[in-house]
Amino acid sequence: MAKENSRLRRIGDQMQRDLSVLIQQEVKDPRLGMVTINAVKVSRDLSYADIYFTCMAFGDNAEAEQQRADQEAVLNKASGFLRSMLAQEIQLRVMPQLRFHYDTVLETGTRLTGLIDEALRQDQARHRDDD
């Protein structure tokens, strides 16, 4: 069991490294900007791999959200090409289907940090008022 999980993690790590290079060098879509592959989670039966990425998006929230959605669509459209390129690099009996997902961890972390800072400021203001 542990050996299988270790193998899946190694496959995911290798896919992450190779995909980072392939996306940067081989995918030529102008809608695709700076993409960072954060994690690759491979299913136990190697039928699919969930790839979590972040990208640089500019503009207001609606515009940035649209850019992220466009980049996710571009990556999912290019998944067949990327899968075939990965199959040449990684020797597996079955190459998993690639599914790209935008990773919201960074945004969630930033939002939570802001909320914590705001709560600390409010707490300090209350303590000053009490004194």
Side-chain angles (χ1 to χ4, degrees):
M1 182 79 165
K3 187 175 185 180
E4 182 178 324
N5 289 334
S6 170
R7 179 175 183 259
L8 293 176
R9 190 175 58 250
R10 285 193 323 266
I11 291 170
D13 290 346
Q14 185 64 45
M15 288 177 74
Q16 181 178 355
R17 285 189 296 273
D18 291 349
L19 278 170
S20 295
V21 172
L22 288 172
I23 290 171
Q24 182 183 13
Q25 295 177 354
E26 300 295 331
V27 179
K28 302 296 184 198
D29 195 302
R31 295 174 292 174
L32 199 60
M34 292 283 296
V35 173
T36 302
I37 304 297
N38 293 342
V40 176
K41 295 184 181 176
V42 181
S43 68
R44 291 178 68 152
D45 61 354
L46 295 176
S47 61
Y48 62 88
D50 288 316
I51 298 139
Y52 297 92
F53 73 95
T54 55
C55 57
M56 296 191 67
F58 302 102
D60 62 0
N61 284 342
E63 196 174 320
E65 188 65 34
Q66 182 61 42
Q67 288 176 4
R68 289 183 198 110
D70 288 346
Q71 290 185 358
E72 186 172 348
V74 167
L75 288 171
N76 279 313
K77 186 176 179 186
S79 66
F81 167 73
L82 292 170
R83 182 179 181 215
S84 66
M85 297 296 286
L86 277 176
Q88 294 174 7
E89 299 291 324
I90 303 172
Q91 298 301 316
L92 292 174
R93 198 173 310 154
V94 176
M95 181 55 65
Q97 295 285 332
L98 306 180
R99 302 187 302 193
F100 288 89
H101 309 282
Y102 182 74
D103 194 357
T104 59
V105 169
L106 293 176
E107 292 169 358
T108 303
T110 303
R111 185 176 58 83
L112 288 176
T113 300
L115 290 172
I116 291 169
D117 290 344
E118 179 62 28
L120 288 173
R121 278 193 293 274
Q122 289 176 358
D123 190 46
Q124 289 173 350
R126 269 191 233 119
H127 285 295
R128 275 186 249 135
D129 290 344
D130 290 343
D131 292 339

